[in-house]
Amino acid sequence: MLSLADGSVRSHLVAHGKGSDPSHTGWLERFSNEPRSNATSAGAYRTDSLYVGAHGHSMRLEGLDPTNSNALNRAIVVHGAWYVNEQVIGYSGMLGRSQGCFAVADSSFPEIMARLGPGRLIYADKA
C-alpha cells in the first residue's frame, strides 16, 4: 500500500485467483474478467462498501477498466483468508488461491481496511 500523503509503502501478502494459476505453481499465468473463471482481473478498482459475508468482514470492489468491469457481478472483493500467511508459504512453498478475490492475511485485514476505506484505488497487474 502506498500512502500519497507521506510516500510510505507497506507490503501485504495477497493471493491471486486459482483460475489465474491453473497449474498451482504459485505464479499468476493469466487474468480474466469472465464470470466463473475464478481468475484475478487486471486493472484499477475503486473500493466500495464494507459488509459481512461468507469470508467475514469484506469490502466490495468496483472494476474501473474493461479488463475488470465484471468485478461487482463476479463478487470480487477484499477479504481475509487463512491460506494467506507466511506459515502456508513455509509449508507448501506458496500461498493458497482465491476465486478471483483479493484475499489477504487475516492478521493484515484490519490494517488494510483502516487504510483503504471506501473510494480508494486498488490496482492489479502482473509485474
Side-chain angles (χ1 to χ4, degrees):
M1 292 183 357
L2 169 66
S3 169
L4 296 178
D6 64 12
S8 64
V9 176
R10 176 93 164 96
S11 295
H12 294 277
L13 295 173
V14 181
H16 54 256
K18 62 184 177 181
S20 291
D21 179 14
S23 302
H24 202 195
T25 62
W27 296 98
L28 186 137
E29 296 175 23
R30 67 181 191 91
F31 290 108
S32 178
N33 192 31
E34 295 300 315
R36 295 174 297 284
S37 67
N38 291 324
T40 302
S41 297
Y45 296 82
R46 183 174 52 86
T47 58
D48 205 337
S49 59
L50 292 168
Y51 71 100
V52 178
H55 299 286
H57 291 281
S58 304
M59 179 177 276
R60 289 182 177 89
L61 298 172
E62 178 185 357
L64 301 176
D65 294 316
T67 55
N68 64 9
S69 59
N70 290 325
L72 281 173
N73 292 336
R74 291 181 61 207
I76 303 301
V77 302
V78 179
H79 66 77
W82 65 267
Y83 52 83
V84 181
N85 61 57
E86 296 291 342
Q87 292 77 19
V88 170
I89 294 171
Y91 174 75
S92 66
M94 66 191 85
L95 295 175
R97 299 171 298 164
S98 72
Q99 293 179 316
C101 292
F102 291 83
V104 301
D106 285 325
S107 60
S108 295
F109 189 78
E111 177 187 349
I112 291 169
M113 289 302 99
R115 289 180 180 256
L116 277 181
R120 301 294 174 96
L121 177 72
I122 293 178
Y123 191 80
D125 205 347
K126 190 171 181 177

